[in-house]
Amino acid sequence: MMDEDFSQYPLELTGDDIPMVRFSRVSKRYGALTVLDNLDLDVAAGEMITIIGPSGSGKTTVLRMLMTLETINEGVIYVDGKPLTHMEKCGKLVRADRRYLRQMRAQIGMCFQHFNLFPHMTALENCMEGPVQVLGMKKAAARARSEELLELVGMADKRDQHPARLSGGQQQRVAIARALAMRPKVMLFDEVTSALDPEVIGEVTTVIRNLVDKHNLTMLMVTHQMGFAKDISDRVCFFFDGKIEEQNSPEELFSNPQKERTQQFLSAVKEAG
Amino acid sequence: MPFNWNWAFTWEILPKLLHAALNTLLAAGLGYAIAVVLGLILALAQRTPSRAVTFVIREFVEFIRSTPLILQIFFVYYVGPQFGLRLGPWTAGMIAIGLHYSAYLSEVYRGGLQAVPKGQWEACTALNLSPAKTYWRIIIPQAIPSALAGMGNYLVGIFKDTPMLSVIGVAELMHTANAIGSSSYRYLEPYTLVGIIFLAISLPTAALIRIFEGYVRRKLGLK
């Protein structure tokens, strides 16, 4: 690879109003296909942002890049003022190495569409795994923290069950507790209700709603639940073709969309029920 | 020639053969232990980001799988000394058979590792687990149950291949039966007994493996 020039990007963000997350001219391509095109997006500390849009619009890729599950082709992502995807070397930004990524990604937690709980561990062991193995916590302390979080998501009574014994909604709640056990600054929810039966969606959205109300987490959520997005978001971004087509407060965006594509998307979603 | 089975001779040689069967079990056990560990190393080495390492290991595995075990046994035992590798029949035999089966087991592991869903890896990244802990604590425990059936097949396979070690003089079952045959000129009883002993061990082992597989799945909460 050629020596890439990132000199246009600051080594770190300074000033009074440092966003918790900043995407700075970020692009992602798979071969000829551009998934994200020159994305600029700031998320303030404590803000809840929802990303909506048709499939293939790059929504999930935004979260996956932030979780460092995908590399990026251009641009820089900053978390809490420091670059995530890049690091400083001799006064210049270069692509982050594994070690730097491990250090930086500790600030971010993620929940997945298909939960991805570890099937060979109980709910409690799933939650304790990170604190014990990554943060180096004592087992007793990790257990206390995990039990508290399972309580928070209403899964304390199922702590000794393996995921195979839990419903989708229950698994997702354990997955949320597991992510929270790492005490991330930023939480990512990637279509966390999409794989659930309709009757259990509520138990997961209630948990997320609680988090928004009672905890000062920064959150990014990709969802198809428009009602839920409207209720709990501080801001909604409508993605189309790898770009933010429109973003606004949920009230504005849902009741008074400005762009034609947003209107089309929202009415299509409404028709589908 | 009429069929004539000599019971007195049978009872006379049975203890000898049973004793040799212990050696067979020992050879199979030792060889398998080598293959289980080395096979895992070969499987993991094929997943390193280094293409050169992956290529070399891949070719090595293919080479082992494409040449006969008996040739490999001869090679280690008779050609080894030319490279300064002077080994007794047991050591040479264990290396050859262990190496041979490690190539097969590495393929079994590889399949098991590939069967672990991508989401598990992503969850490990999201939890920031180190690569080593990702493998040892999350991926390998999930790969083992689906690899167990294949591992069991090769356990029975290695057991049945131990007679090949007789060619370099390892005193296992086949070697002992041959010796009895050539000194007494009676082959019917020793070879029949060898067949029965193999059957008496293989069949229950295969059944035990299936039970063990179910047990492991339950233990890991996968069922």
Side-chain angles (χ1 to χ4, degrees):
Chain A
M1 200 189 295
M2 284 246 302
D3 231 17
E4 295 170 290
D5 182 19
F6 298 104
S7 58
Q8 50 181 322
Y9 303 97
L11 294 176
E12 59 183 280
L13 306 182
T14 50
D16 299 331
D17 234 8
I18 297 175
M20 181 54 84
V21 175
R22 166 170 288 175
F23 287 81
S24 190
R25 278 164 277 167
V26 172
S27 293
K28 173 70 184 174
R29 285 183 296 269
Y30 296 109
L33 177 73
T34 300
V35 187
L36 277 179
D37 188 10
N38 226 3
L39 174 70
D40 280 308
L41 175 65
D42 277 9
V43 185
E47 198 179 7
M48 168 68 166
I49 286 208
T50 301
I51 298 172
I52 60 171
S55 59
S57 58
K59 312 181 295 278
T60 289
T61 308
V62 173
L63 302 193
R64 291 177 58 83
M65 290 191 311
L66 193 48
M67 191 67 258
T68 70
L69 294 170
E70 307 272 356
T71 55
I72 65 179
N73 295 103
E74 277 153 42
V76 176
I77 302 175
Y78 296 87
V79 173
D80 207 7
K82 289 175 79 179
L84 166 80
T85 50
H86 297 69
M87 59 186 207
E88 192 198 317
K89 200 174 180 183
C90 309
K92 287 201 306 194
L93 279 187
V94 296
R95 283 188 184 265
D97 59 22
R98 281 159 165 263
R99 207 166 130 195
Y100 184 80
L101 279 179
R102 275 205 77 198
Q103 186 191 325
M104 288 300 290
R105 86 162 69 93
Q107 306 173 79
I108 301 160
M110 183 164 182
C111 295
F112 300 88
Q113 183 177 355
H114 297 288
F115 336 125
N116 300 353
L117 289 177
F118 304 135
H120 56 304
M121 297 181 181
T122 64
L124 184 64
E125 287 165 348
N126 263 280
C127 295
M128 289 170 62
E129 185 66 10
V132 173
Q133 300 298 332
V134 179
L135 307 180
M137 283 175 73
K138 291 260 186 300
K139 279 213 168 160
R143 172 184 291 265
R145 177 188 284 191
S146 300
E147 283 178 345
E148 199 177 298
L149 286 166
L150 285 172
E151 186 77 53
L152 179 84
V153 300
M155 287 296 294
D157 56 328
K158 303 274 190 201
R159 79 185 72 152
D160 296 322
Q161 299 288 350
H162 281 90
R165 294 293 190 88
L166 303 175
S167 72
Q170 292 173 327
Q171 288 191 55
Q172 194 59 282
R173 286 188 281 154
V174 173
I176 292 171
R178 177 176 75 171
L180 290 173
M182 298 298 282
R183 298 273 155 93
K185 292 181 189 163
V186 182
M187 270 289 277
L188 310 177
F189 295 99
D190 185 15
E191 302 198 28
V192 287
T193 56
S194 298
L196 300 179
D197 291 332
E199 73 271 18
V200 298
I201 288 177
E203 64 190 55
V204 173
T205 54
T206 304
V207 165
I208 297 175
R209 217 180 282 262
N210 262 325
L211 285 179
V212 173
D213 291 346
K214 295 185 190 142
H215 298 263
N216 196 34
L217 268 168
T218 307
M219 295 190 243
L220 281 87
M221 176 171 86
V222 170
T223 188
H224 295 290
Q225 305 271 117
M226 296 305 150
F228 181 50
K230 191 173 174 180
D231 279 1
I232 69 159
S233 314
D234 295 312
R235 182 155 46 116
V236 179
C237 299
F238 173 68
F239 269 68
F240 193 89
D241 246 4
K243 289 195 175 88
I244 298 179
E245 181 82 6
E246 184 171 355
Q247 54 177 318
N248 216 329
S249 67
E251 299 79 22
E252 275 299 307
L253 190 113
F254 285 112
S255 55
N256 190 18
Q258 300 297 308
K259 298 281 182 67
E260 202 187 326
R261 277 170 181 154
T262 321
Q263 294 161 2
Q264 284 169 351
F265 175 75
L266 290 176
S267 64
V269 168
K270 199 178 268 171
E271 264 172 49
Chain B
M1 189 171 144
F3 177 83
N4 89 69
W5 178 274
N6 184 336
W7 281 104
F9 181 63
T10 304
W11 296 122
E12 185 194 323
I13 63 171
L14 186 61
K16 255 191 214 165
L17 288 174
L18 286 177
H19 186 76
L22 290 180
N23 275 349
T24 289
L25 285 175
L26 184 67
L30 283 176
Y32 195 66
I34 294 172
V36 162
V37 176
L38 196 61
L40 185 59
I41 294 170
L42 290 177
L44 293 177
Q46 285 182 58
R47 298 177 69 96
T48 56
S50 160
R51 286 196 177 194
V53 173
T54 306
F55 177 79
V56 170
I57 300 289
R58 185 83 239 133
E59 291 304 307
F60 175 75
V61 168
E62 281 309 316
F63 169 76
I64 299 253
R65 297 202 314 154
S66 314
T67 50
L69 171 58
I70 196 138
L71 175 69
Q72 291 162 14
I73 293 172
F74 276 138
F75 213 85
V76 173
Y77 188 62
Y78 291 115
V79 182
Q82 297 210 2
F83 297 95
L85 201 67
R86 211 167 283 280
L87 301 168
W90 266 93
T91 317
M94 290 305 94
I95 289 176
I97 210 167
L99 210 60
H100 185 80
Y101 272 91
S102 72
Y104 284 97
L105 279 181
S106 78
E107 290 294 295
V108 172
Y109 291 132
R110 216 163 62 95
L113 290 170
Q114 275 169 355
V116 178
K118 207 169 125 244
Q120 292 293 310
W121 293 91
E122 294 182 347
C124 292
T125 303
L127 282 183
N128 219 359
L129 284 171
S130 69
K133 284 183 171 164
T134 297
Y135 268 110
W136 285 115
R137 300 191 52 83
I138 310 299
I139 305 300
I140 292 176
Q142 292 182 63
I144 294 297
S146 50
L148 271 180
M151 290 175 76
N153 284 341
Y154 286 122
L155 175 60
V156 175
I158 202 168
F159 173 65
K160 287 192 303 174
D161 272 353
T162 49
M164 292 202 199
L165 297 172
S166 65
V167 297
I168 56 169
V170 172
E172 48 64 68
L173 207 42
M174 199 65 199
H175 189 265
T176 307
N178 281 336
I180 292 171
S182 53
S183 64
S184 66
Y185 302 106
R186 291 196 69 91
Y187 290 95
L188 174 65
E189 292 85 356
Y191 285 162
T192 307
L193 285 177
V194 167
I196 291 170
I197 292 173
F198 267 100
L199 210 59
I201 297 173
S202 289
L203 286 180
T205 305
L208 279 176
I209 288 163
R210 269 196 297 280
I211 293 169
F212 181 66
E213 208 185 318
Y215 168 79
V216 168
R217 277 184 196 277
R218 270 194 304 281
K219 194 79 187 162
L220 291 176
L222 302 177
K223 206 159 134 187

